[in-house]
């Protein structure tokens, strides 16, 4: 599917289009019904409308903060230590085989 | 009986921990079908753990500072072999192979887990109505919500199902339900409590903290769960706070600022109701009477918190929740290819609010919109950090309402997401900047339901916050006896 990509939001009356909602759902691996697409188009538009105060802000020189407190990388000695048991972890999987997680075919064909 | 009195009675052998637990289990049995605080009650394990506490006391061993105290754990914290659901269908049948660090620490302190509490699915919500297992009701008025997302943990303490509980707070999810249920709720400094084993929502915002009826109990629980954990790389490398020894130091000479933008002041956030503003001003007057110096201060960027949060938190959530794909744990809806299986699983497993936030976050991070939304929201965090830092050069702590209103009616705000989101307007700034904040009950609103006021401080100011919270609590109980 072709997607139109970025458009000038300021000029838009509709904050997010139906097609964009469909595109985002595909990225997020969610399947939406027509009614849900309509509902989300309206609701996400309302939320983005509220965020217009941020969108309009002039923050050119401000550095972004992705973490609230200044922290440096945490390192530890590269030593072997016990990990969780593989069989225990696989026992929680929906399907497992030969010590591995089992999934349906990846490319749409039976192996 | 407070958790501290219970613990000392159990420690001295005056009361048996098993009896204490049985008493609480009986209360749960009698009333939780109405309240729905718990997703799971771990009665047998609780009796066993209580028996071990009693055995330790009998053997002359130290059973820990919270010996025999019943505690409820929010169902987004991992418990070995005990279902952990995040109140989502997508984790159906999953039993974690390890404990969250906080779960181990409360057990090491002698506390006894009685169950896992309901929440808004993946902690996304402000009313505990977004749960796959039905809403939790406010024990003070069952037509009202308990707040959220940690509504089950708040209701469990308010209904005396447990003396203490743990919640998690990403945008107010401990403090707002504490306010709605008349409890003390604390969000510690980011990194002060380990997040290991807390199922992530917004990793740069999430923090675990205590619910309790009193400030002293809150301090004792935070002491038990705090301190460095090598299993959490964002854990601050310092020991747990010493809080209980500073509680009674008072507020003489302490400088406290009423944060205008969040307290109904001009140019601030809208929708804070008059009764809540009145209680906040009375709290300020009470602190002044107790010797604090109260001034009005301004943090203009605080009004941008809500917008910044509803970009940052969904963005982080959309990334964190990508791990729920039907491959390694929980629900799988079969389909002919792995891609279709993942889509079918996520579509069936997530509820509407979680889908909405995943969609919003995916959009905010997508090509063409990253700079306009997510990138700018991160810059707003910097502006807030700078403005709060300059205010804290003038004052020690800030005072605001915790939530704009008292507990609202069930179903009142589910139709329009924005009406739900504005609940967090006063609590969000502390998460965006990683600072600690506590909600303390202070009187009631026009509807007779509790009002919470919030004390905010700079990073690692927990001792000062607890000192002021103790003074506020004393003043509130004084007010109560007058009315």
């Amino acid at each position: 599917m072709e997607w139109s990509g970025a458009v000038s939001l300021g000029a838009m009356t509709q904050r997010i289009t139906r097609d964009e909602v469909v595109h985002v759902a595909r990225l997020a691996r969610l399947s939406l019904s027509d009614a849900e697409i309509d509902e989300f188009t309206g609701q996400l538009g309302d939320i983005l409308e509220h965020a217009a105060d941020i969108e309009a802000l002039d923050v050119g020189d401000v550095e972004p903060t992705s973490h609230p407190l200044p922290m440096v990388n945490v390192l530890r000695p590269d030593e072997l230590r016990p990990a969780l048991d593989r069989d225990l972890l696989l026992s929680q999987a929906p399907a497992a085989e030969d010590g591995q997680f089992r999934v349906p075919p990846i490319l749409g064909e039976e192996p | 009986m407070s958790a501290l009195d219970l613990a000392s009675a159990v420690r001295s052998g005056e009361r048996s921990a098993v009896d204490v637990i049985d008493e609480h289990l009986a209360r749960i049995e009698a009333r939780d079908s109405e309240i729905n605080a718990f997703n799971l009650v771990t009665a047998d394990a609780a009796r066993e753990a209580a028996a071990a506490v009693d055995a330790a006391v009998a053997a002359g061993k130290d059973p820990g500072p919270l010996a025999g105290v019943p505690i409820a754990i929010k169902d987004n914290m991992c418990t070995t072999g005990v279902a952990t659901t995040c109140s989502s269908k997508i984790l159906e049948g999953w039993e974690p192979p390890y404990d969250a660090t906080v779960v181990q620490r409360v057990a090491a302190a002698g506390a006894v887990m009685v169950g896992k509490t309901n929440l808004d699915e993946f902690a996304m919500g402000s009313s505990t109505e977004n749960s796959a297992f039905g809403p939790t009701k406010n024990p003070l008025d069952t037509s009202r919500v308990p707040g959220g997302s940690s509504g089950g943990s708040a209701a469990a303490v308010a209904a005396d199902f447990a003396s203490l509980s743990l919640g998690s707070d990403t945008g107010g999810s401990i403090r707002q339900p504490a306010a709605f249920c008349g409890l003390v709720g604390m969000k510690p400094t980011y990194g002060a409590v380990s997040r290991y084993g807390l199922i992530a929502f917004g990793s740069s915002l999430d923090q675990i903290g205590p619910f309790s009826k009193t400030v002293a109990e809150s301090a004792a629980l935070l002491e038990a769960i705090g301190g460095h954990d090598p299993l959490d790389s964002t854990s601050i490398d310092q020991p747990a706070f010493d809080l209980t020894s500073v509680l009674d130091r008072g507020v003489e000479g302490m400088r406290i600022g009423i944060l205008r933008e969040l307290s109904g002041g001009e140019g601030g956030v809208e929708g804070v109701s008059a009764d809540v503003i009145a209680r906040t001003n009375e709290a300020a007057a009470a602190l002044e009477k107790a010797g604090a110096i109260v001034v009005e201060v301004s943090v203009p960027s605080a009004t941008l918190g809500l917008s910044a949060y509803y970009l940052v938190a969904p963005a982080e959530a959309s990334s964190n929740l990508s791990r729920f794909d039907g491959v390694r744990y929980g629900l799988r809806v079969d389909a002919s290819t792995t891609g279709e299986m993942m889509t079918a699983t996520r579509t069936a497993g997530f509820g509407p609010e979680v889908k909405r936030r995943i969609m919003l976050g995916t959009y905010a991070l997508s090509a063409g919109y990253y700079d306009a939304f997510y990138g700018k929201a991160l810059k707003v965090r910097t502006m807030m950090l700078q403005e709060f830092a300059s205010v804290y050069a003038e004052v020690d702590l800030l005072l605001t309402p915790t939530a704009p209103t008292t507990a609202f009616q069930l179903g009142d705000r589910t139709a329009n997401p924005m009406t739900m989101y504005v609940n967090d307007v006063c609590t969000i700034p502390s998460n965006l900047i990683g600072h600690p904040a506590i909600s303390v009950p202070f009187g009631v609103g026009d509807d007779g339901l509790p009002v919470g006021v919030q004390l905010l401080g700079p990073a690692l100011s927990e001792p000062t916050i607890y000192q002021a919270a103790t003074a506020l609590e004393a003043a509130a109980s004084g007010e109560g006896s007058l009315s």
Side-chain angles (χ1 to χ4, degrees):
Chain A
M1 187 186 89
E2 263 308 297
W3 185 50
S4 58
V7 288
S8 167
L9 279 169
M12 288 172 60
T13 47
Q14 196 180 3
R15 305 294 310 189
I16 182 168
T17 66
R18 211 173 179 280
D19 284 352
E20 286 170 329
V21 169
V22 170
H23 172 71
V24 169
R26 197 176 57 83
L27 292 177
R29 289 200 184 278
L30 293 170
S31 163
L32 303 181
S33 67
D34 279 350
E36 284 174 319
I37 295 169
D38 289 338
E39 193 184 357
F40 278 161
T41 303
Q43 290 175 339
L44 295 181
D46 287 348
I47 299 165
L48 292 170
E49 184 59 38
H50 190 275
D53 56 355
I54 284 201
E55 203 196 348
L57 216 59
D58 180 11
V59 287
D61 297 339
V62 180
E63 286 293 315
T65 296
S66 55
H67 241 258
L69 302 176
M71 281 186 181
V72 291
N73 279 338
V74 179
L75 304 174
R76 64 168 173 81
D78 185 17
E79 288 162 358
L80 285 178
R81 50 179 190 169
L84 290 167
D85 179 66
R86 185 177 68 179
D87 290 338
L88 174 67
L89 295 177
L90 287 172
S91 75
Q92 293 293 316
E97 195 177 304
D98 298 336
Q100 297 168 67
F101 298 109
R102 184 179 167 85
V103 293
I106 302 278
L107 301 173
E109 288 172 26
E110 293 295 332
Chain B
M1 199 179 214
S2 89
L4 304 174
D5 292 339
L6 270 183
S8 84
V10 167
R11 287 168 62 86
S12 69
E14 185 190 318
R15 289 208 63 182
S16 124
V18 172
D19 285 353
V20 171
I21 293 303
D22 278 338
E23 204 177 280
H24 286 81
L25 290 173
R27 255 184 237 130
I28 295 170
E29 178 73 36
R31 204 184 170 204
D32 199 43
S33 54
E34 180 194 14
I35 303 298
N36 197 31
F38 288 98
N39 288 343
L40 181 70
V41 178
T42 51
D44 292 343
R47 288 197 184 96
E48 256 175 59
V53 168
D54 286 336
V57 173
K61 292 181 196 149
D62 184 354
L66 299 176
V69 172
I71 188 166
I73 306 286
K74 189 177 183 180
D75 202 13
N76 61 351
M77 300 176 203
C78 291
T79 41
T80 308
V82 175
T84 298
T85 69
C86 286
S87 290
S88 179
K89 282 191 279 190
I90 210 157
L91 277 169
E92 204 171 78
W94 184 57
E95 292 179 353
Y98 62 93
D99 278 332
T101 294
V102 291
V103 168
Q104 290 202 339
R105 288 194 179 173
V106 296
V112 174
M113 180 176 87
V114 291
K116 305 292 293 285
T117 57
N118 200 9
L119 61 148
D120 286 297
E121 185 177 357
F122 283 100
M124 298 177 190
S126 308
S127 66
T128 318
E129 291 170 293
N130 302 329
S131 163
F133 309 124
T136 297
K137 292 173 183 167
N138 190 322
L140 306 177
D141 175 349
T142 53
S143 72
R144 312 260 177 167
V145 302
S149 67
S150 312
S153 287
V157 174
D160 289 318
F161 296 157
S163 303
L164 302 172
S165 64
L166 289 180
S168 62
D169 188 315
T170 305
S173 283
I174 293 171
R175 291 162 284 160
Q176 182 254 21
F180 280 14
C181 293
L183 303 173
V184 176
M186 173 72 178
K187 184 204 87 76
T189 301
Y190 183 82
V193 176
S194 171
R195 291 183 297 115
Y196 180 72
L198 170 68
I199 296 172
F201 162 16
S203 303
S204 76
L205 308 161
D206 298 341
Q207 189 59 191
I208 292 171
F211 283 99
S212 59
K213 287 195 170 166
T214 65
V215 174
E217 291 168 286
S218 179
L221 181 50
L222 182 51
E223 282 181 351
I225 60 174
H228 183 244
D229 177 13
L231 298 175
D232 174 359
S233 63
T234 59
S235 164
I236 296 170
D237 193 3
Q238 67 161 47
F241 299 106
D242 174 12
L243 301 170
T244 45
S245 71
V246 305
L247 293 178
D248 294 326
R249 289 191 185 167
V251 291
E252 186 70 49
M254 200 183 276
R255 296 161 304 165
I256 293 172
I258 301 179
L259 180 46
R260 181 193 301 153
E261 282 81 4
L262 301 182
S263 306
E266 211 174 305
V269 299
E270 289 167 13
V272 186
S273 67
D275 51 354
V276 171
I277 293 169
R279 293 304 90 75
T280 308
N281 289 331
E282 286 158 22
L287 287 167
E288 198 163 31
K289 200 175 160 198
I293 301 151
V294 176
V295 294
E296 190 178 281
V297 297
S298 172
V299 177
S301 63
T303 59
L304 298 169
L306 192 67
S307 292
Y309 176 84
Y310 278 98
L311 296 169
V312 171
E316 293 186 5
S318 72
S319 168
N320 275 324
L321 270 60
S322 65
R323 62 169 59 88
F324 300 103
D325 57 10
V327 173
R328 288 156 297 170
Y329 30 67
L331 182 73
R332 174 182 293 186
V333 176
D334 275 316
S336 56
T337 69
T338 290
E340 287 167 15
M341 178 278 287
M342 289 175 170
T343 300
T345 299
R346 290 166 62 81
T347 300
F350 290 136
E353 181 62 26
V354 173
K355 287 178 184 169
R356 191 151 42 236
R357 302 230 192 161
I358 289 174
M359 294 281 295
L360 184 59
T362 305
Y363 177 79
L365 291 173
S366 66
Y369 300 102
Y370 182 95
D371 290 339
F373 290 115
Y374 184 69
K376 271 204 174 156
L378 295 187
K379 292 182 176 186
V380 168
R381 291 180 90 170
T382 309
M383 290 170 58
M384 291 178 75
L385 275 166
Q386 290 167 347
E387 288 183 16
F388 273 95
S390 45
V391 161
Y392 286 129
E394 309 292 322
V395 298
D396 299 302
L397 300 176
L398 295 170
L399 179 73
T400 76
T402 303
T405 63
T406 56
F408 47 87
Q409 297 282 334
L410 284 151
D412 234 17
R413 303 198 180 188
T414 45
N416 178 351
M418 275 317 296
T419 62
M420 191 66 85
Y421 295 175
V422 296
N423 267 293
D424 302 331
V425 71
C426 300
T427 44
I428 275 172
S430 307
N431 298 85
L432 286 169
I433 60 179
H435 290 179
I438 197 167
S439 179
V440 180
F442 201 89
V444 295
D446 294 343
D447 50 14
L449 290 163
V451 170
V453 296
Q454 188 182 214
L455 287 164
L456 296 75
L460 300 174
S461 64
E462 273 82 347
T464 315
I465 286 182
Y466 273 95
Q467 228 175 293
T470 305
L472 211 46
E473 179 179 56
S477 67
E479 302 274 321
S481 63
L482 286 176
S483 63

